[in-house]
Amino acid sequence: VLTLVQRGRTRIALQGTAIIHAVQGALIPAPLPIAAIAILEADWKRALLFGIPLAAIQIVVSLWLTRNAPEGTVPLPAAPAEPARDWARRGFMLAVITLILLVVFHALGQIPAEPLGGGSTRERLFGSGRPLILFFFALGIALIATGRRAGVMLSENGPLAEAARASAGVVLAVGAAGGLQMVAHSDGFTELIVEKVAELPRRLGLAIPFLIAAVSRALQGSPLAATITAAGIMQPLVEPFGLGSEAGRVLTALASACGALSLPHLNDGAFWLA
C-alpha cells in the first residue's frame, strides 16, 4: 500500500483496502465470519454461498465511492537509496506467504464441521494462528531463507535492526491503542452499552447484530472481539427475532462480522498501522 501511495496510485491503494475489508467480513476462511458461524451454529457452506454476493456488493459500492479519489502522492519518509537486497526480499516474501497460510489454517480449524479434522489436529491448527507463534515462524523462516547472511540480518546495522528503529513509533502507538482497548474491555462499559443496543425493537432484524458489533468495535477496538460479542448476544435471540432458520443464522453471522469492521479509530491497532 505504501509503495502504491508513493507512486501516486492512491486510488488503487484505497480500492485494494476496501476489497480486503469486504472479503474479511463476508467470506470464509476469514476469521470474523468463521467465529460468528461457530457461535451461532450456522452452516458454513451456506455462509460461503451468501458471502460471495455480499462481498461483491461491498466491493462494487467501495469502488464507486473511491472512483474520484485523487491520484496524488502523499509525503512519506524517503526510501533508502540502496535497493532491497535479493536475499532479504526472498526471505521477506517467504515469511509473509507462510504467515498467510498459518492464519488461513487457523481460521479453517474453527469451522464447526472440522474440515481439517478434530482432536489434537484441531488444537494444532488453533495454536498455529496465535500472534507469538506467527512472529517466531516468520522470523525463523526469514533467517533460514537468508542462509549464511542470517548474521548480517541480526547485526546492529542489519535489516532487522533498521526495521525495529523505523517501526518503533508505530509499535508504541499500537501498544497504547491496545492499552486503551483493554481499559474499555475490563471496566464493563462496553457490555453495558451493547446490552442496551440489543434491547432495540425486534423489527430492526439483521440491523441489531450489525449495530451490536459496530458499537462493540467502536468501544473496545477489536473486530474479532466485536464479532464474538455480537454473535454471543444474538445466539439466544435468533429464535425470538425470527432468525432461527439456517438462512437466518447465516445472515446473522455475516451481519455480525460486517458490523465488526466498521468504526475503527484511535483504540484500534490496525488504525495506527494503516
Side-chain angles (χ1 to χ4, degrees):
V1 172
L2 287 175
T3 302
L4 288 170
V5 173
Q6 283 180 316
R7 293 179 179 177
R9 304 291 185 180
T10 309
R11 184 182 305 141
I12 296 177
L14 287 172
Q15 292 173 343
T17 305
I19 291 171
I20 291 172
H21 269 70
V23 171
Q24 186 181 3
L27 289 183
I28 293 174
L32 301 187
I34 285 181
I37 289 166
I39 293 171
L40 292 166
E41 300 177 348
D43 181 7
W44 69 270
K45 294 179 183 178
R46 191 183 292 263
L48 183 60
L49 182 65
F50 288 180
I52 291 174
L54 177 60
I57 291 171
Q58 294 183 70
I59 290 171
V60 170
V61 171
S62 13
L63 293 179
W64 182 78
L65 291 174
T66 56
R67 69 193 187 283
N68 295 323
E71 288 285 25
T73 57
V74 175
L76 292 171
E82 181 184 0
R85 305 172 182 87
D86 289 339
W87 53 268
R89 186 184 295 109
R90 286 196 299 271
F92 172 77
M93 291 305 300
L94 183 59
V96 168
I97 292 172
T98 304
L99 290 184
I100 293 173
L101 290 176
L102 286 173
V103 171
V104 168
F105 278 116
H106 174 76
L108 289 174
Q110 298 182 62
I111 296 177
E114 298 184 354
L116 301 180
S120 59
T121 302
R122 186 183 179 97
E123 292 304 316
R124 284 194 292 271
L125 290 172
F126 282 149
S128 68
R130 301 187 187 282
L132 191 60
I133 299 297
L134 293 177
F135 171 76
F136 282 115
F137 259 108
L139 181 59
I141 290 169
L143 292 175
I144 292 172
T146 56
R148 292 176 298 175
R149 297 183 180 272
V152 178
M153 287 191 68
L154 295 171
S155 65
E156 183 178 349
N157 296 317
L160 284 178
E162 293 176 5
R165 286 191 288 268
S167 61
V170 175
V171 170
L172 289 174
V174 171
L180 180 59
Q181 183 183 118
M182 289 307 299
V183 169
H185 176 73
S186 60
D187 65 4
F189 182 70
T190 302
E191 289 77 7
L192 177 63
I193 298 298
V194 166
E195 287 174 4
K196 295 297 182 183
V197 175
E199 295 173 0
L200 291 173
R202 295 180 183 179
R203 64 176 179 273
L204 294 177
L206 292 173
I208 297 296
F210 184 92
L211 289 172
I212 293 174
V215 171
S216 179
R217 171 70 185 275
L219 292 175
Q220 51 77 31
S222 169
L224 182 57
T227 302
I228 292 172
T229 298
I233 289 176
M234 290 302 300
Q235 201 275 337
L237 298 177
V238 287
E239 293 291 348
F241 273 62
L243 299 170
S245 64
E246 288 188 6
R249 289 178 181 272
V250 167
L251 291 173
T252 303
L254 293 177
S256 301
C258 290
L261 287 173
S262 59
L263 305 180
H265 61 97
L266 300 178
N267 64 356
D268 183 8
F271 172 90
W272 292 103
L273 289 175

